[in-house]
């Protein structure tokens, strides 16, 4: 087993040029010891070089002294403490004077001028250019030949936006496709379909080239590169999280001040998104170590700390689903030696929990009663059209799952097999607009054999290239057909309750109302065969109040519809029910989604608890060693608004587990330790199923329990 397949508790110091002055390798390692880190990621170079070398064109750190070699120093200090060293390389661009020395080594606009990287003034390479390939390979060989480093982190690998018209790209594209690269067209238009697919392949080849260079120094040398979360717009760069298949460990970027931080009204991401990011990474490759790249001082306002209590919750959320960590720090030599040291060591409690329980934690993946289908084609389409309906559908569905503590995970569309699908009791397609015929067949087969399906809105209405179909490709499975008419139901719209006694409306006081709320958009669909639980109501304007009524409120167009297909059960929402849980949050949406999941399930959830909504649950199992589970809870507080500054203790509650086993071997609290007086209040075995009941004591931030069964 290689070191990168074991637990990774990383510290990254993204050094600024001035941080090399009086670089103190011993002090960095002292910080790592105290915080229980075991891997350091530190600058080697690319844009600014932090070591002396002969690979031209170089750009040495102007503060680096003759004879100073911080990489030699840090390798020595780290290795003598059994810590690993990964160096950061970055070939996203070069300064103008380096570009001028080799203008043919970089990406070009149609007129031959350099493509620039954002506002930095750096000139970008493309995936075929000499700078990012021949030069980068020579650079890595030089670096790895000089210092006994343990791996390479390729930062900012998504470096070439849109189309490149350098001579190499033009020639290669012509040779590969027999065509010229399109000119004067929108990059998002179909004109570029073939080019974009070609570019994705070239991006892959670049990654493979750098990885192979790293591996030429030994299999024990690790390679990974910077990819972002599941909703990241990869359309213009050709690189998204699926590139993780080439990495030795799967790392995804997820800062508290992350995805949402571009929005001034919502600078801090939803706390459950740390766990969501990790669930997604685990789905990409459950066999690899999964690392959440986050940071004690955040990424936007890098010179001051991120909110402390929320940073702790953020990390515990990720830990609850089996994450390893990468603490990325952007200034100073280490977190306790910079402008704002208030969050120095904030990672220590989580890192210590991981370290103390490494044998139990490593290899844990989420228990998944429910699988959320991730459609890359739908994500791409949504990103091109700046349409948030896809991301919001996933986030809303997740909110309903998280608040009800239902074990779930993701299933990605890149390797959809019947075996993989069959492992989920419920498959969810939240507005999975773009499905290929092959994917449709796989999903049909899954339902036919008895799988349960929850789908919403435009699911299967487009093919994998974003071309609209006349009707849902899954219409036989849904039991209804699209009329081709879409209604804006964002305001003053309602759903009429047609089956008040249905399981899907249970607990919603259905005997006291004829309407539930509606919002977003609604597709008008004709039922073919199934049960109409709720129907679309045409807009009832609220002004002027005397005329706030309409003549016909009853229609035949279902908003909530159930159907049986083969041996399986299906619920389809023709509106944006799941997205509305996230964007509007009315409890009608929330309850209709949750009740639909309950209606679709075949047996009780693997975890059932009366914990409040302000306690999030993680329930994981060991992929390699059957019978080893970890149940954990995170207190996310309930101040009513962000940010959360203080946590009160979460009240005690009960948790019931249902496991495919006969006997209980052991159950013990592993955090907080040793004061967690959790009690086993029931254990029953029948028909190959073991039912456990636990009384969970009050706790402050995080509580974890290891369970072994046979
Ligand atoms: Zn090019």
């Amino acid at each position: 087993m290689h070191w990168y397949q074991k637990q990774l508790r990383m510290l990254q110091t993204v050094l600024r040029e001035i941080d090399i002055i009086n670089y103190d390798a011993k002090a960095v390692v002292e910080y790592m010891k105290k915080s229980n880190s075991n891997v350091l990621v530190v600058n080697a170079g690319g844009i600014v070089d932090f070591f002396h070398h002969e690979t031209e064109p170089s750009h040495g750190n102007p503060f680096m002294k003759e004879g100073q070699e911080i990489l030699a120093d840090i390798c020595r200090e780290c290795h003598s403490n059994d810590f690993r060293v990964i160096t950061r390389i970055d070939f996203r661009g070069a300064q103008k004077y380096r570009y001028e020395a080799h203008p043919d080594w970089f990406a070009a606009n149609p007129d031959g001028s350099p493509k620039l990287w954002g506002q930095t003034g750096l000139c970008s390479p493309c995936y075929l250019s000499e700078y990012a390939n021949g030069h980068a390979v020579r650079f890595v060989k030089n670096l790895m030949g000089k210092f006994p480093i343990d791996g390479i982190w390729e930062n900012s690998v998504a470096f070439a936006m849109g189309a490149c018209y350098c001579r190499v790209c033009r020639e290669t594209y012509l040779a590969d496709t027999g065509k010229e690269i399109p000119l004067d067209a929108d990059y998002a238009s179909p004109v570029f379909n073939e080019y974009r697919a070609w570019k994705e392949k070239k991006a892959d080849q670049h990654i493979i080239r750098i990885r192979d260079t790293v591996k030429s120094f030994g299999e024990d040398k690790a390679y990974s590169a910077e990819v972002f979360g599941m909703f990241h717009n990869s359309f213009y760069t050709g690189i998204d999280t699926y590139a993780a298949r080439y990495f030795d460990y799967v790392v995804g970027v997820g800062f508290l001040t992350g995805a949402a931080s571009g929005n001034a009204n919502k600078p801090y991401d939803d706390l459950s998104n740390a766990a969501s990011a990790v669930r997604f990474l685990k789905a990409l490759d459950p066999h690899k170590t999964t690392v959440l790249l986050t940071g004690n001082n955040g990424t936007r306002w890098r010179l001051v700390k991120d909110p402390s209590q929320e940073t702790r919750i953020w990390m515990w959320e990720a830990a609850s689903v089996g994450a390893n960590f990468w603490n990325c720090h952007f200034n100073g030599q280490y977190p306790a030696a910079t402008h704002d040291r208030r969050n120095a060591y904030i990672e220590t409690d989580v890192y210590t929990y991981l370290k103390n329980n490494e044998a139990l934690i490593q290899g844990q993946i989420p228990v998944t009663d429910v699988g959320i289908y991730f459609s890359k084609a739908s994500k791409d389409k949504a990103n091109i059209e700046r349409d948030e309906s896809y991301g919001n559908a996933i986030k809303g569905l997740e909110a309903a799952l998280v608040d009800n503590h239902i074990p779930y995970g993701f299933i990605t569309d890149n390797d959809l097999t019947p075996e993989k699908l069959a492992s989920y009791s419920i498959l969810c397609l939240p507005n999975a607009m773009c499905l290929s015929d092959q994917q449709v067949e796989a999903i049909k087969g899954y339902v036919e054999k008895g799988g349960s399906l929850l789908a919403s809105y435009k699911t299967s209405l487009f093919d994998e290239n974003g071309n609209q179909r006349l009707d849902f490709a899954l219409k036989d499975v849904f039991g209804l057909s699209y009329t081709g008419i879409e209604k804006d139901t964002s305001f003053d719209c309602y759903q009429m309750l047609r089956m008040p006694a249905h399981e899907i409306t249970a607990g919603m006081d259905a005997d006291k109302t004829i309407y539930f709320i509606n919002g977003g958009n609604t597709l008008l669909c004709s039922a073919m065969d199934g049960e109409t639980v709720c129907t679309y109501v045409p807009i009832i304007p609220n002004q002027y109040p005397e005329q706030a009524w309409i003549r016909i409120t009853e229609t035949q167009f279902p908003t909530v519809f159930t159907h049986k297909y083969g041996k399986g059960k299906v619920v389809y929402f023709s509106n944006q029910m799941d997205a509305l849980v996230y964007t509007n949050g009315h409890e009608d949406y929330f309850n209709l989604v949750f009740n639909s999941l309950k209606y679709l399930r075949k047996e009780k959830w693997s975890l059932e608890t009366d914990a409040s909504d302000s306690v999030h649950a993680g329930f994981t199992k060991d992929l390699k060693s059957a019978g080893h589970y970890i149940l954990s809870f995170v207190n996310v507080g309930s101040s009513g608004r962000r940010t959360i500054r203080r946590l009160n203790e979460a009240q005690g509650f009960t948790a019931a587990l249902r496991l495919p086993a006969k006997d209980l071997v052991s159950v013990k609290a592993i955090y907080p330790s040793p004061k967690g007086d959790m009690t086993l209040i029931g254990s029953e075995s029948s028909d190959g199923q073991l039912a456990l009941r636990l009384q969970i004591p009050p706790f402050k931030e995080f509580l974890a329990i290891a369970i072994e069964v046979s």
Side-chain angles (χ1 to χ4, degrees), residues 160-198:
M161 300 289 279
C164 173
Y165 297 88
C166 77
R167 188 181 52 82
V168 185
C169 283
R170 285 176 189 238
E171 280 179 4
T172 313
Y173 191 70
L174 187 63
D176 289 351
T177 67
K179 291 175 192 161
E180 300 283 349
I181 301 170
L183 274 166
D184 301 325
D186 180 357
Y187 191 71
S189 69
V191 175
F192 275 101
N193 279 355
E194 191 175 2
Y195 179 86
R196 289 193 306 264
W198 176 83

Side-chain angles (χ1 to χ4, degrees), residues 183-484:
L183 274 166
D184 301 325
D186 180 357
Y187 191 71
S189 69
V191 175
F192 275 101
N193 279 355
E194 191 175 2
Y195 179 86
R196 289 193 306 264
W198 176 83
K199 182 172 176 176
E200 240 176 71
K201 281 201 193 90
K202 298 302 171 192
D204 275 7
Q205 285 165 11
H206 166 81
I207 284 180
I208 291 166
R209 192 172 299 121
I210 302 295
R211 185 197 65 182
D212 289 351
T213 307
V214 173
K215 291 295 176 186
S216 71
F217 287 82
E219 261 310 307
D220 207 32
K221 306 292 183 186
Y223 173 74
S224 192
E226 187 180 25
V227 293
F228 291 84
M230 68 179 119
F231 302 123
H232 181 67
N233 189 347
S234 59
F235 194 74
Y236 295 89
T237 63
I239 288 192
D240 74 3
T241 44
Y242 282 2
R245 62 187 174 276
Y246 303 114
F247 304 161
D248 288 310
Y249 51 93
V250 180
V251 55
V253 178
F255 285 92
L256 175 63
T257 41
S261 58
N263 177 354
N265 297 320
K266 198 176 182 235
Y268 303 109
D269 210 348
D270 292 341
L271 292 167
S272 59
N273 280 356
S276 169
V278 175
R279 289 178 205 269
F280 183 74
L281 296 175
K282 294 264 179 191
L284 289 175
D285 191 339
H287 297 280
K288 286 181 184 169
T289 299
T290 308
V291 182
L292 183 71
L293 194 163
T294 184
N296 54 5
N297 280 12
T299 181
R300 287 283 159 168
W301 296 276
R302 295 176 174 182
L303 297 190
V304 296
K305 68 169 190 171
D306 257 2
S308 299
Q309 182 61 66
E310 292 210 349
T311 299
R312 292 180 65 94
I313 295 171
W314 184 257
M315 294 187 82
W316 287 125
E317 285 268 358
S320 76
V321 285
N324 283 190
F325 289 93
W326 176 311
N327 178 19
C328 182
H329 188 78
F330 290 99
N331 44 74
Q333 294 183 4
Y334 52 95
T338 189
H339 312 288
D340 185 349
R341 302 174 298 281
R342 290 174 290 176
N343 270 356
Y345 302 107
I346 202 165
E347 71 279 30
T348 309
D349 285 344
V350 180
Y351 279 23
T352 306
Y353 161 70
L354 259 61
K355 185 182 176 188
N356 289 346
N357 299 289
E358 178 167 355
L360 290 169
I361 290 172
Q362 218 46 20
Q364 291 277 328
I365 59 164
V367 171
T368 52
D369 293 357
V370 175
I372 300 178
Y373 183 88
F374 175 78
S375 158
K376 180 182 179 302
S378 302
K379 178 207 72 167
D380 284 345
K381 179 178 162 61
N383 277 336
I384 305 164
E385 295 170 2
R386 297 177 191 277
D387 164 17
E388 292 186 335
S389 69
Y390 183 62
N392 289 344
I394 290 189
K395 287 175 192 165
L397 175 61
E398 283 193 270
L401 290 163
V402 167
D403 285 12
N404 286 293
H405 315 100
I406 300 170
Y408 78 95
F410 287 95
I411 174 166
T412 54
D413 69 355
N414 55 343
D415 55 345
L416 203 61
T417 59
E419 298 73 43
K420 212 171 150 183
L421 282 169
S423 68
Y424 297 90
S425 143
I426 301 175
L427 178 69
C428 296
L429 303 177
N431 193 23
M433 302 177 275
C434 304
L435 299 176
S436 68
D437 290 345
Q438 209 180 355
Q439 290 164 347
V440 165
E441 284 312 308
I443 292 162
K444 273 186 174 175
Y446 161 81
V447 183
E448 210 158 29
K449 291 195 194 85
S452 293
L453 186 74
L454 179 70
S456 66
Y457 197 38
K458 295 184 181 170
T459 293
S460 81
L461 199 52
F462 299 82
D463 69 16
E464 71 276 26
N465 295 315
N467 301 313
Q468 188 166 347
R469 297 180 168 113
L470 280 174
D471 206 340
F472 303 113
L474 285 168
K475 69 172 177 179
D476 296 341
V477 178
F478 297 164
L480 47 68
S481 188
Y482 180 40
T483 62

Side-chain angles (χ1 to χ4, degrees), residues 94-106:
Q95 297 81 352
K96 196 73 194 294
Y97 81 94
R98 297 163 74 199
Y99 163 83
E100 294 296 354
H102 300 276
D104 55 332
W105 283 17
F106 293 85

